[in-house]
Amino acid sequence: MTDKSATERDVVSTELPGAKKLICLFHALQIFQREVTPAKLNITTEQSKCSLQYLNKLAHSKSEAYYNATLNEMKENIPQAVVTYFSKNWEQIKHEWAKCFTKYTTNFFNFTNNRLESLNSKLKSVISTYSTFDEFIEKLFIFVNIKRTEQKNEYSKMVLKVPSKDLSTTNVMFYNHLTYYAYKNIAKDLVEVQLSTSIPYTFNSDDLTTIRCITKNEMFVISETTCQCSFFISMHLPCKHILYYRKYLGHELFCDSLFNSRWTR
DNA sequence: AAGCTCCCGGGGAGCATCAA
DNA sequence: TTGATGCTCCCCGGGAGCTT
């Protein structure tokens, strides 16, 4: 994930040809604010505001259908200059910035590179702009050591924390195997699946490889350890579908191979 | 070579909020 | 009331790539 810098993106394409490129959502919205202005596109303030609202909606689209509907509506209601700018610079790469597309990538729920930006801003607060190379190296390593100490502290707190006595044996297995952050992401679904007396999904009766939600019109290809839904693709943590599927098959909910190694202790 | 476009980082102005 | 702080808006200079 990068800013919309052509140089940065070219480097990624050249050096990591198989990698899927993403554009930071925060920076995409920032560029819209900078470029879709009365001064730059010769439009009125009202037209600029209206265009920005549509672009914001596109960026946060939850589904492709919503994206397409918003796009059609937008093209009818905003000035031609904005349509031209958008078509030229953004429409062709919609899979890299609109949320309805980027949520189907392993981004660990990161839609912006603000974590990196935050690190950068902390670095800048420690290392002044016109430092000599020696000063830069000295302060950089002080900074790195402090960050490492902070991380060790966080990890210690996590390991020492004792799980609540209310947790089921299954929950405790997940809790002890995963980082606290990862556990929190699946805890709600885990409890729901264990307490549920029925299964809100139907399965393909031939090979049991597809799961269809009864209440929503959603269908995913599924296995005991993988799913096609955006949560699983994004996080590589067991989703509600996998948990219900394992329950349906009569398997233990917990299994070592359910998690990406980044989430394990 | 010059000009244009797109984007970036940086910084100033103006305004709102909040604590002393 | 005042000064500090944070936010938004806007502008500037510059890099990179493309066109004229």
Coordinates of all heavy atoms in Angstrom, one line a residue, chain A residues 162-222:
Chain A
V162 N -4.4 -12.5 32.4 CA -5.1 -13.8 32.6 C -6.5 -13.8 32.0 O -7.2 -12.8 32.3 CB -5.2 -14.1 34.2 CG1 -6.0 -15.4 34.4 CG2 -3.9 -14.1 34.8
P163 N -6.9 -14.8 31.2 CA -8.2 -14.7 30.6 C -9.4 -14.7 31.6 O -9.2 -15.3 32.7 CB -8.3 -15.9 29.7 CG -7.2 -16.8 30.2 CD -6.2 -16.0 30.8
S164 N -10.5 -14.1 31.3 CA -11.6 -14.1 32.2 C -12.1 -15.5 32.5 O -12.1 -16.4 31.7 CB -12.7 -13.3 31.5 OG -14.0 -13.6 32.1
K165 N -12.6 -15.7 33.8 CA -13.1 -17.0 34.2 C -14.4 -17.4 33.5 O -14.8 -18.5 33.4 CB -13.3 -17.0 35.7 CG -12.1 -17.1 36.5 CD -12.3 -17.0 38.0 CE -11.0 -16.9 38.7 NZ -11.2 -16.5 40.1
D166 N -15.1 -16.4 32.8 CA -16.3 -16.7 32.1 C -16.1 -17.4 30.8 O -17.0 -17.9 30.2 CB -17.1 -15.4 31.9 CG -17.4 -14.6 33.1 OD1 -17.5 -15.3 34.2 OD2 -17.6 -13.4 33.1
L167 N -14.9 -17.4 30.3 CA -14.6 -18.0 29.0 C -14.8 -19.5 29.0 O -14.4 -20.2 29.9 CB -13.2 -17.6 28.5 CG -12.9 -16.1 28.3 CD1 -11.5 -16.0 27.7 CD2 -13.9 -15.5 27.4
S168 N -15.3 -20.0 27.9 CA -15.4 -21.4 27.7 C -14.1 -22.1 27.4 O -13.1 -21.3 27.1 CB -16.4 -21.8 26.5 OG -15.7 -21.4 25.3
T169 N -14.0 -23.4 27.6 CA -12.7 -24.1 27.3 C -12.2 -23.8 25.9 O -11.0 -23.5 25.7 CB -12.9 -25.6 27.4 OG1 -13.6 -25.8 28.6 CG2 -11.5 -26.3 27.5
T170 N -13.1 -23.8 24.9 CA -12.8 -23.5 23.5 C -12.2 -22.1 23.4 O -11.2 -21.8 22.8 CB -14.0 -23.6 22.6 OG1 -14.5 -25.0 22.8 CG2 -13.7 -23.4 21.2
N171 N -12.9 -21.1 24.0 CA -12.5 -19.7 24.0 C -11.1 -19.6 24.5 O -10.2 -18.8 24.0 CB -13.4 -18.8 24.7 CG -14.6 -18.4 23.9 OD1 -15.4 -19.2 23.5 ND2 -14.7 -17.1 23.7
V172 N -10.8 -20.3 25.6 CA -9.5 -20.2 26.3 C -8.4 -20.7 25.3 O -7.3 -20.2 25.2 CB -9.5 -21.0 27.6 CG1 -8.0 -21.0 28.2 CG2 -10.4 -20.3 28.6
M173 N -8.7 -21.8 24.5 CA -7.8 -22.3 23.6 C -7.4 -21.3 22.5 O -6.2 -21.0 22.2 CB -8.3 -23.6 22.9 CG -8.4 -24.8 23.8 SD -9.4 -26.1 23.1 CE -8.1 -26.8 22.0
F174 N -8.4 -20.6 22.0 CA -8.2 -19.5 21.1 C -7.4 -18.4 21.7 O -6.4 -17.8 21.2 CB -9.5 -18.9 20.5 CG -10.1 -19.7 19.4 CD1 -11.0 -20.8 19.7 CD2 -9.9 -19.5 18.1 CE1 -11.5 -21.6 18.7 CE2 -10.4 -20.2 17.1 CZ -11.3 -21.3 17.4
Y175 N -7.8 -18.0 22.9 CA -7.2 -16.9 23.7 C -5.7 -17.1 23.9 O -4.9 -16.2 23.7 CB -7.9 -16.7 25.0 CG -7.5 -15.5 25.8 CD1 -8.2 -14.4 25.9 CD2 -6.3 -15.5 26.6 CE1 -7.8 -13.3 26.6 CE2 -5.9 -14.5 27.3 CZ -6.7 -13.3 27.3 OH -6.3 -12.2 28.1
N176 N -5.4 -18.4 24.3 CA -4.0 -18.7 24.6 C -3.1 -18.8 23.4 O -1.9 -18.7 23.5 CB -3.9 -19.9 25.5 CG -4.4 -19.7 26.9 OD1 -4.3 -18.6 27.4 ND2 -4.9 -20.8 27.5
H177 N -3.7 -19.1 22.3 CA -3.0 -19.3 21.0 C -2.7 -18.0 20.2 O -1.7 -17.9 19.6 CB -3.7 -20.3 20.1 CG -3.0 -20.8 19.0 ND1 -1.9 -21.7 19.1 CD2 -3.0 -20.5 17.6 CE1 -1.4 -21.9 17.9 NE2 -2.1 -21.2 17.0
L178 N -3.7 -17.0 20.4 CA -3.6 -15.8 19.6 C -3.2 -14.6 20.3 O -3.2 -14.6 21.6 CB -5.0 -15.5 19.0 CG -5.6 -16.6 18.1 CD1 -7.1 -16.2 17.8 CD2 -4.9 -16.7 16.8
T179 N -2.8 -13.6 19.6 CA -2.5 -12.3 20.2 C -3.9 -11.7 20.7 O -4.9 -12.1 20.2 CB -1.9 -11.2 19.3 OG1 -2.9 -11.0 18.2 CG2 -0.6 -11.7 18.7
Y180 N -3.8 -10.8 21.7 CA -5.1 -10.3 22.2 C -5.9 -9.6 21.1 O -7.1 -9.8 21.0 CB -4.8 -9.3 23.4 CG -6.0 -8.9 24.1 CD1 -6.8 -9.8 24.8 CD2 -6.4 -7.6 24.1 CE1 -8.0 -9.4 25.4 CE2 -7.6 -7.2 24.8 CZ -8.3 -8.1 25.4 OH -9.5 -7.7 26.1
Y181 N -5.2 -8.9 20.3 CA -5.9 -8.1 19.2 C -6.6 -9.1 18.3 O -7.8 -8.9 17.9 CB -4.9 -7.3 18.4 CG -5.5 -6.6 17.2 CD1 -6.2 -5.4 17.3 CD2 -5.3 -7.1 15.9 CE1 -6.7 -4.8 16.3 CE2 -5.8 -6.5 14.8 CZ -6.6 -5.3 15.0 OH -7.1 -4.7 13.9
A182 N -6.0 -10.2 17.9 CA -6.6 -11.2 17.0 C -7.8 -11.9 17.7 O -8.8 -12.0 17.1 CB -5.5 -12.2 16.6
Y183 N -7.6 -12.2 19.0 CA -8.7 -12.9 19.7 C -9.9 -12.0 19.7 O -11.0 -12.4 19.5 CB -8.2 -13.2 21.1 CG -9.3 -13.7 22.0 CD1 -9.8 -15.0 21.8 CD2 -10.0 -12.9 22.9 CE1 -10.9 -15.5 22.5 CE2 -11.0 -13.4 23.6 CZ -11.5 -14.7 23.5 OH -12.6 -15.2 24.2
K184 N -9.7 -10.7 20.0 CA -10.8 -9.7 20.1 C -11.6 -9.7 18.8 O -12.8 -9.5 18.8 CB -10.3 -8.3 20.4 CG -9.8 -8.2 21.8 CD -10.9 -8.3 22.9 CE -11.8 -7.1 23.0 NZ -12.8 -7.3 24.1
N185 N -10.9 -9.9 17.7 CA -11.6 -9.8 16.4 C -12.5 -11.0 16.1 O -13.3 -10.9 15.2 CB -10.5 -9.8 15.3 CG -10.2 -8.3 14.9 OD1 -11.0 -7.7 14.2 ND2 -9.1 -7.8 15.4
I186 N -12.3 -12.1 16.8 CA -13.1 -13.3 16.5 C -14.0 -13.7 17.7 O -14.8 -14.6 17.6 CB -12.3 -14.5 16.1 CG1 -11.3 -14.9 17.2 CG2 -11.5 -14.3 14.8 CD1 -10.7 -16.3 16.9
A187 N -13.7 -13.1 18.9 CA -14.4 -13.5 20.1 C -15.9 -13.5 20.0 O -16.6 -14.4 20.4 CB -13.9 -12.6 21.3
K188 N -16.5 -12.4 19.4 CA -17.9 -12.3 19.3 C -18.6 -13.4 18.5 O -19.5 -14.1 19.0 CB -18.3 -10.9 18.7 CG -19.7 -10.5 18.9 CD -19.9 -9.1 18.4 CE -21.4 -9.0 18.0 NZ -21.6 -8.0 16.9
D189 N -17.9 -13.7 17.4 CA -18.4 -14.8 16.5 C -18.3 -16.1 17.2 O -19.1 -17.0 17.1 CB -17.7 -14.8 15.2 CG -18.1 -13.6 14.3 OD1 -19.1 -13.0 14.6 OD2 -17.3 -13.3 13.4
L190 N -17.2 -16.3 17.9 CA -16.9 -17.6 18.6 C -18.0 -17.9 19.6 O -18.5 -19.0 19.7 CB -15.5 -17.4 19.2 CG -14.8 -18.7 19.7 CD1 -14.6 -19.7 18.5 CD2 -13.4 -18.3 20.2
V191 N -18.3 -16.9 20.4 CA -19.4 -17.1 21.4 C -20.7 -17.4 20.7 O -21.4 -18.3 21.1 CB -19.5 -15.8 22.3 CG1 -20.7 -15.9 23.2 CG2 -18.2 -15.6 23.1
E192 N -21.0 -16.6 19.7 CA -22.3 -16.8 18.9 C -22.4 -18.2 18.4 O -23.4 -18.9 18.6 CB -22.4 -15.8 17.8 CG -23.7 -15.9 17.0 CD -23.7 -15.2 15.7 OE1 -23.4 -14.0 15.7 OE2 -24.1 -15.8 14.7
V193 N -21.4 -18.7 17.8 CA -21.4 -20.0 17.2 C -21.6 -21.1 18.2 O -22.4 -22.1 18.1 CB -20.1 -20.3 16.3 CG1 -20.1 -21.7 15.9 CG2 -20.1 -19.3 15.2
Q194 N -20.9 -20.9 19.4 CA -21.0 -21.9 20.4 C -22.4 -22.0 21.1 O -22.9 -23.0 21.4 CB -20.0 -21.7 21.5 CG -18.6 -22.0 21.1 CD -17.5 -21.6 22.1 OE1 -17.2 -22.4 23.0 NE2 -17.1 -20.4 22.0
L195 N -23.0 -20.8 21.2 CA -24.3 -20.7 21.9 C -25.5 -21.0 20.9 O -26.6 -21.4 21.4 CB -24.5 -19.3 22.5 CG -23.6 -18.9 23.6 CD1 -23.9 -17.5 24.1 CD2 -23.7 -19.9 24.8
S196 N -25.3 -20.9 19.6 CA -26.4 -21.0 18.7 C -26.9 -22.5 18.6 O -26.1 -23.4 18.6 CB -25.9 -20.6 17.3 OG -26.8 -21.0 16.3
T197 N -28.2 -22.6 18.6 CA -28.8 -23.9 18.5 C -29.1 -24.3 17.1 O -29.4 -25.5 16.8 CB -30.1 -24.0 19.3 OG1 -31.0 -22.9 18.9 CG2 -29.8 -23.9 20.8
S198 N -29.1 -23.4 16.1 CA -29.3 -23.7 14.7 C -28.2 -23.0 13.9 O -27.4 -22.2 14.4 CB -30.7 -23.1 14.3 OG -30.6 -21.7 14.4
I199 N -28.1 -23.4 12.6 CA -27.1 -22.9 11.8 C -27.7 -22.0 10.7 O -28.5 -22.5 9.9 CB -26.2 -24.0 11.2 CG1 -25.5 -24.7 12.3 CG2 -25.3 -23.5 10.1 CD1 -24.7 -25.9 11.8
P200 N -27.4 -20.7 10.7 CA -28.1 -19.8 9.8 C -27.5 -19.8 8.3 O -27.6 -18.8 7.6 CB -27.8 -18.4 10.4 CG -26.5 -18.6 11.1 CD -26.4 -20.0 11.5
Y201 N -27.0 -21.0 7.9 CA -26.5 -21.1 6.6 C -27.0 -22.4 6.0 O -27.3 -23.4 6.7 CB -24.9 -21.1 6.6 CG -24.3 -19.9 7.1 CD1 -23.9 -19.8 8.5 CD2 -24.2 -18.7 6.3 CE1 -23.4 -18.6 9.0 CE2 -23.7 -17.6 6.8 CZ -23.3 -17.5 8.1 OH -22.8 -16.3 8.6
T202 N -27.0 -22.5 4.7 CA -27.2 -23.8 4.0 C -26.0 -24.2 3.2 O -25.2 -23.3 2.8 CB -28.4 -23.7 3.0 OG1 -28.1 -22.6 2.1 CG2 -29.7 -23.4 3.7
F203 N -25.8 -25.5 3.0 CA -24.6 -25.9 2.4 C -24.9 -26.6 1.1 O -26.0 -27.3 1.0 CB -23.8 -26.8 3.3 CG -23.3 -26.2 4.5 CD1 -24.1 -26.4 5.7 CD2 -22.2 -25.4 4.6 CE1 -23.7 -25.7 6.9 CE2 -21.9 -24.7 5.8 CZ -22.6 -24.9 6.9
N204 N -24.1 -26.5 0.1 CA -24.3 -27.3 -1.2 C -24.3 -28.8 -0.8 O -23.3 -29.3 -0.3 CB -23.1 -26.9 -2.1 CG -23.2 -27.6 -3.4 OD1 -23.9 -28.7 -3.5 ND2 -22.7 -27.0 -4.5
S205 N -25.4 -29.4 -1.1 CA -25.5 -30.8 -0.7 C -24.6 -31.8 -1.4 O -24.4 -32.9 -0.9 CB -27.0 -31.3 -0.8 OG -27.4 -31.1 -2.2
D206 N -24.1 -31.4 -2.6 CA -23.3 -32.3 -3.4 C -21.9 -32.5 -2.8 O -21.4 -33.6 -2.5 CB -23.1 -31.9 -4.8 CG -24.5 -31.8 -5.5 OD1 -25.3 -32.6 -5.1 OD2 -24.6 -31.0 -6.4
D207 N -21.2 -31.4 -2.6 CA -19.8 -31.5 -2.1 C -19.5 -30.7 -0.9 O -18.4 -30.7 -0.4 CB -18.8 -31.1 -3.3 CG -19.1 -29.7 -3.8 OD1 -20.0 -29.1 -3.2 OD2 -18.5 -29.4 -4.8
L208 N -20.5 -30.0 -0.4 CA -20.3 -29.2 0.9 C -19.2 -28.1 0.7 O -18.6 -27.8 1.7 CB -20.0 -30.1 2.1 CG -21.1 -31.1 2.5 CD1 -20.6 -31.9 3.7 CD2 -22.4 -30.4 2.8
T209 N -19.0 -27.6 -0.5 CA -17.9 -26.6 -0.6 C -18.4 -25.2 -0.7 O -17.6 -24.3 -0.8 CB -17.0 -26.9 -1.9 OG1 -17.9 -27.0 -3.0 CG2 -16.3 -28.2 -1.7
T210 N -19.7 -25.1 -0.8 CA -20.3 -23.7 -0.8 C -21.2 -23.5 0.4 O -21.9 -24.4 0.8 CB -21.0 -23.3 -2.1 OG1 -22.0 -24.3 -2.3 CG2 -20.0 -23.3 -3.3
I211 N -21.3 -22.3 0.9 CA -22.1 -21.9 2.0 C -23.0 -20.7 1.6 O -22.5 -19.8 1.1 CB -21.2 -21.6 3.3 CG1 -22.1 -21.4 4.5 CG2 -20.3 -20.5 3.1 CD1 -21.3 -21.4 5.8
R212 N -24.3 -20.8 1.9 CA -25.2 -19.7 1.6 C -25.8 -19.2 2.8 O -26.4 -20.0 3.6 CB -26.2 -20.2 0.6 CG -27.1 -19.0 0.1 CD -28.3 -19.6 -0.8 NE -27.8 -20.0 -2.1 CZ -27.6 -19.2 -3.1 NH1 -27.8 -17.9 -2.9 NH2 -27.2 -19.6 -4.2
C213 N -25.8 -17.9 3.0 CA -26.4 -17.3 4.2 C -27.9 -17.3 4.0 O -28.4 -17.0 2.9 CB -25.9 -15.9 4.4 SG -26.6 -15.1 5.8
I214 N -28.7 -17.7 5.0 CA -30.2 -17.8 4.9 C -30.8 -16.4 4.9 O -31.7 -16.1 4.1 CB -30.7 -18.7 6.0 CG1 -30.3 -20.2 5.8 CG2 -32.2 -18.6 6.1 CD1 -30.6 -21.1 6.9
T215 N -30.3 -15.5 5.7 CA -30.9 -14.2 5.9 C -30.4 -13.2 4.8 O -31.2 -12.3 4.4 CB -30.6 -13.6 7.3 OG1 -29.2 -13.7 7.5 CG2 -31.4 -14.4 8.3
K216 N -29.2 -13.3 4.4 CA -28.7 -12.4 3.4 C -28.4 -13.1 2.1 O -28.2 -14.3 2.1 CB -27.4 -11.7 3.8 CG -27.5 -10.9 5.0 CD -26.1 -10.3 5.3 CE -26.0 -9.8 6.7 NZ -24.6 -9.5 7.1
N217 N -28.4 -12.5 1.0 CA -28.1 -13.1 -0.3 C -26.6 -13.2 -0.6 O -26.1 -12.6 -1.5 CB -28.9 -12.4 -1.5 CG -28.7 -13.2 -2.8 OD1 -28.6 -14.4 -2.7 ND2 -28.8 -12.5 -3.9
E218 N -25.9 -14.0 0.3 CA -24.5 -14.1 0.1 C -24.1 -15.6 0.0 O -24.7 -16.4 0.7 CB -23.8 -13.5 1.4 CG -23.9 -12.0 1.5 CD -23.2 -11.6 2.9 OE1 -23.3 -12.3 3.8 OE2 -22.7 -10.5 2.9
M219 N -23.1 -15.8 -0.8 CA -22.7 -17.2 -1.0 C -21.1 -17.2 -1.1 O -20.6 -16.4 -1.8 CB -23.3 -17.9 -2.2 CG -23.1 -19.3 -2.2 SD -24.0 -20.1 -3.6 CE -23.1 -19.6 -5.0
F220 N -20.5 -18.1 -0.4 CA -19.0 -18.2 -0.4 C -18.6 -19.6 -0.6 O -19.2 -20.6 -0.1 CB -18.4 -17.7 0.9 CG -18.9 -16.4 1.4 CD1 -19.8 -16.3 2.4 CD2 -18.5 -15.2 0.7 CE1 -20.3 -15.0 2.9 CE2 -18.9 -14.0 1.1 CZ -19.8 -13.9 2.2
V221 N -17.4 -19.8 -1.3 CA -16.8 -21.1 -1.4 C -16.0 -21.3 -0.1 O -15.4 -20.3 0.4 CB -15.8 -21.2 -2.6 CG1 -15.0 -22.5 -2.5 CG2 -16.6 -21.0 -3.9
I222 N -16.2 -22.4 0.5 CA -15.6 -22.6 1.9 C -14.9 -23.9 2.1 O -15.2 -24.9 1.3 CB -16.8 -22.5 2.9 CG1 -16.2 -22.2 4.3 CG2 -17.7 -23.6 2.9 CD1 -17.3 -21.8 5.3

